[in-house]
Amino acid sequence: MGMVGVQENGHGEMGLSSISLGTKNKYKRMDSELSDDHDDDPSHNHYQEERGRNIRKYVFACAVFASLNNVLLGYDVGVMSGAILFIQEDLKITEVQQEVLVGILSIISLFGSLAGGKTSDVIGRKWTMGLAAVIFQLGAAVMTFAPSFQILMIGRLMAGVGIGLGVMIAPVYIAEISPTVSRGSLTSFPEIFINLGILLGYVSNYAFSGLPAHINWRIMLAVGILPSVFIGFALFVIPESPRWLVMKNRVDEARSVLLKTNEIESEVEEKLAEILLAAGSGNADKSQEKAVWCELLRPSPAVRRMLVTGFGIQCFQQITGIDATVYYSPEIFKGAGIEGNSKLLAATVAVGVTKTIFILFAIIFIDKVGRKPLLYISTIGMTTCLFSLGFSLTFLGKGEIGIALAILSVCGNVAFFSVGIGPVCWVLTSEIFPLKLRAQASALGAVGNRVSSGIVAMSFLSVSRAISIGGTFFIFSAISALSVVFVHTLVPETKGKSLEQIELLFQDNYEFQGSEVELGDVEHLVQKQ
């Protein structure tokens, strides 16, 4: 059935291409014959090099533009850590209102993420990003002019929906347009931009903190509207995802996008055939296809493994306390003994700089070293730093040594987060699901992420009052130790495999940990289904 579907949807040449997806592909043989003729042709070689450079720049630009929504999330997280000090002073809000204001963004963004899966399957990946930016802009504008806590909350709710939409769709889009060899690095971009946004938020706090309390926090929040202006421009530059176009039977448009994003022209037809096979015969006969949500709610063993891996890694990313560290770093440093708003905000900027710099290590190594080694380094390092932070806050008091160890531990924690679980979490959840489930399963993972983030952000102050800030970080350290076990047991290595090949890692007849997938196996997978 899968083969018939490909021939029906892909026109004549697709049928040829789909006969073999292994190393004996007809297009490759034709290309190798042609390339022999061109080996000694300098002008042809120059053309290929120039084309390769242009395509790399184009894909890079697409990944950057698609990640701009994540600047909004990062900025909101970073700026609120300082703005809340002045909102409390200006609007006279209680500690519970403070927790709700900070944490509600994550809870509400899960509704955006849930809606994002279906929305992106209907209107496309690209226009879902545009919708996210518009909703966030409206929310940020309402917050900027809010005269009371109630109006501030309305703006916060709108911003949360926009952020939820944007956060789940960017990694899916980038994974679907990226060449296999650089997919890990490019899919890490959203995490870089979250970090950049956090740093900009911290800098904004520091820059505007000298203004009167009834004005400064409004300016801090208003600056967050600016990135979404660039998103509007981006929508006219970036293409739609070729995999989404195939799902909509727009095969010629998908081929056109693949030609723009793949350096080796001869591989385009093979890749298109692979995508058509992964889309399966559902394109030919929708009535025979299980509804996506039905398949997610009653999954096959392979899909269940994917869901446990994707949902689990997203939850661990947040319940290890990264948002508490970022949102409440002024509170943490105050507990360590640093005094004065400007000193607190300056120490927080150091955290933002560290978090942003270390994400670059992930970008460089994720496609060279692999996903799993980075996750090991990250989770073990975070466990150590969270424990040392708990130790310094509990046993060292407010002396210089305590302050130094607290700053070092917080910076170390965010550094290890950025090297591994921060970006790799989003890379994995955009890679491991089959095409027809990818958007909505990724949305489910983003929901787990946002719920975990919201629970941590909304309970941190209360738990800290009950068992101390140091005690809270001992708990985060224990959870982080569990994440090391989770990575070892349930996360496969996906480096260097196409999205269609990764699906095989979760099948019953493959060894789950560390299994290798042959290039020709994708056809076997789809025929088996």
Side-chain angles (χ1 to χ4, degrees):
M1 282 295 290
M3 300 298 291
V4 173
V6 171
Q7 287 169 341
E8 286 175 357
N9 286 304
H11 312 300
E13 68 270 30
M14 287 296 92
L16 288 170
S17 172
S18 63
I19 289 169
S20 171
L21 294 180
T23 53
K24 297 179 181 177
N25 181 274
K26 181 170 181 177
Y27 285 94
K28 282 194 173 179
R29 291 204 308 275
M30 288 170 63
D31 181 60
S32 62
E33 288 167 16
L34 289 170
S35 63
D36 290 341
D37 297 335
H38 287 297
D39 279 344
D40 300 321
D41 184 353
S43 63
H44 176 74
N45 291 338
H46 176 72
Y47 163 76
Q48 288 289 64
E49 285 175 21
E50 187 65 26
R51 183 177 185 277
R53 271 196 300 272
N54 290 337
I55 282 174
R56 283 192 294 275
K57 287 178 188 171
Y58 181 71
V59 174
F60 180 88
C62 289
V64 167
F65 282 137
S67 304
L68 286 173
N69 267 315
N70 293 67
V71 176
L72 303 177
L73 171 60
Y75 184 83
D76 192 278
V77 169
V79 83
M80 194 52 80
S81 69
I84 196 74
L85 301 173
F86 305 107
I87 292 171
Q88 197 172 16
E89 188 182 331
D90 184 27
L91 299 181
K92 305 291 187 288
I93 62 174
T94 66
E95 189 174 277
V96 173
Q97 286 176 323
Q98 186 181 342
E99 280 186 318
V100 170
L101 184 65
V102 169
I104 198 71
L105 184 90
S106 296
I107 300 296
I108 291 301
S109 65
L110 76 88
F111 294 108
S113 291
L114 270 177
K118 184 65 177 173
T119 304
S120 67
D121 279 346
V122 174
I123 67 173
R125 309 328 192 199
K126 182 167 96 165
W127 294 108
T128 301
M129 288 186 263
L131 180 64
V134 169
I135 296 173
F136 180 87
Q137 266 184 326
L138 292 171
V142 171
M143 284 194 290
T144 300
F145 297 105
S148 66
F149 175 75
Q150 287 75 16
I151 305 296
L152 193 62
M153 282 296 294
I154 292 171
R156 195 90 171 129
L157 297 179
M158 292 172 71
V161 172
I163 281 172
L165 275 172
V167 162
M168 66 73 47
I169 196 56
V172 171
Y173 173 82
I174 296 170
E176 291 186 347
I177 64 156
S178 300
T180 300
V181 69
S182 58
R183 188 181 62 244
S185 296
L186 293 171
T187 312
S188 304
F189 276 27
E191 186 65 24
I192 298 181
F193 279 73
I194 286 178
N195 284 299
L196 183 61
I198 288 171
L199 179 57
L200 290 173
Y202 285 161
V203 171
S204 175
N205 285 339
Y206 187 69
F208 298 118
S209 60
L211 296 172
H214 66 284
I215 293 174
N216 56 13
W217 65 268
R218 297 179 191 277
I219 295 173
M220 292 173 189
L221 297 178
V223 171
I225 298 171
L226 295 177
S228 45
V229 175
F230 294 102
I231 295 168
F233 169 73
L235 294 176
F236 296 99
V237 176
I238 62 176
E240 185 50 86
S241 155
R243 287 167 172 85
W244 181 81
L245 291 168
V246 166
M247 283 168 65
K248 296 298 177 185
N249 288 323
R250 291 156 63 176
V251 178
D252 289 334
E253 291 175 61
R255 184 185 293 110
S256 174
V257 175
L258 287 169
L259 281 165
K260 291 179 185 176
T261 56
N262 283 272
E263 292 180 43
I264 304 171
E265 290 180 70
S266 58
E267 289 182 0
V268 167
E269 295 297 345
E270 180 178 353
K271 188 164 263 192
L272 186 56
E274 214 174 281
I275 295 167
L276 282 157
L277 279 167
S281 58
N283 281 344
D285 186 2
K286 290 284 182 185
S287 64
Q288 293 180 5
E289 191 180 310
K290 273 209 293 182
V292 169
W293 278 108
C294 179
E295 194 161 342
L296 290 175
L297 292 171
R298 295 186 357 198
S300 64
V303 172
R304 188 180 301 115
R305 288 188 195 110
M306 293 172 191
L307 288 169
V308 169
T309 301
F311 195 78
I313 199 75
Q314 288 279 13
C315 291
F316 271 116
Q317 192 210 47
Q318 290 298 331
I319 58 176
T320 46
I322 189 65
D323 272 8
T325 310
V326 173
Y327 273 128
Y328 295 112
S329 48
E331 292 280 337
I332 295 164
F333 291 138
K334 197 184 287 183
I338 299 176
E339 295 173 358
N341 279 351
S342 62
K343 283 184 181 176
L344 287 171
L345 295 177
T348 304
V349 169
V351 176
V353 170
T354 306
K355 201 168 186 297
T356 307
I357 288 172
F358 276 85
I359 189 76
L360 300 176
F361 286 90
I363 302 308
I364 294 165
F365 292 112
I366 193 167
D367 283 317
K368 294 177 182 174
V369 175
R371 283 56 158 159
K372 203 158 179 174
L374 288 182
L375 283 173
Y376 279 134
I377 292 167
S378 176
T379 49
I380 293 168
M382 285 170 64
T383 303
T384 307
C385 290
L386 289 165
F387 185 85
S388 72
L389 180 57
F391 181 83
S392 71
L393 292 171
T394 305
F395 299 110
L396 296 183
K398 297 189 175 184
E400 285 185 14
I401 296 174
I403 290 173
L405 185 58
I407 293 174
L408 193 64
S409 299
V410 171
C411 289
N413 183 48
V414 298
F416 280 115
F417 178 88
S418 289
V419 163
I421 200 166
V424 174
C425 160
W426 296 104
V427 173
L428 276 172
T429 48
S430 65
E431 289 180 329
I432 61 176
F433 296 107
L435 176 59
K436 68 177 179 178
L437 302 180
R438 187 172 299 135
Q440 299 199 40
S442 296
L444 208 55
V447 167
N449 184 288
R450 295 292 84 207
V451 169
S452 304
S453 168
I455 290 169
V456 168
M458 291 177 80
S459 63
F460 179 76
L461 289 179
S462 300
V463 174
S464 297
R465 296 288 178 271
I467 63 168
S468 80
I469 296 179
T472 308
F473 279 98
F474 281 132
I475 292 173
F476 286 143
S477 177
I479 295 169
S480 188
L482 285 177
S483 72
V484 181
V485 178
F486 179 86
V487 168
H488 176 72
T489 312
L490 291 169
V491 177
E493 182 56 73
T494 58
K495 181 189 78 166
K497 299 173 178 66
S498 75
L499 296 177
E500 286 67 37
Q501 292 158 18
I502 290 168
E503 204 174 328
L504 282 167
L505 292 174
F506 295 87
Q507 298 299 312
D508 288 327
N509 57 336
Y510 285 85
E511 186 186 342
F512 190 56
Q513 289 189 51
S515 54
E516 292 297 323
V517 181
E518 296 299 323
L519 285 173
D521 285 345
V522 178
E523 182 177 9
H524 160 75
L525 166 66
V526 179
Q527 285 176 329
K528 181 181 161 189
Q529 287 179 336

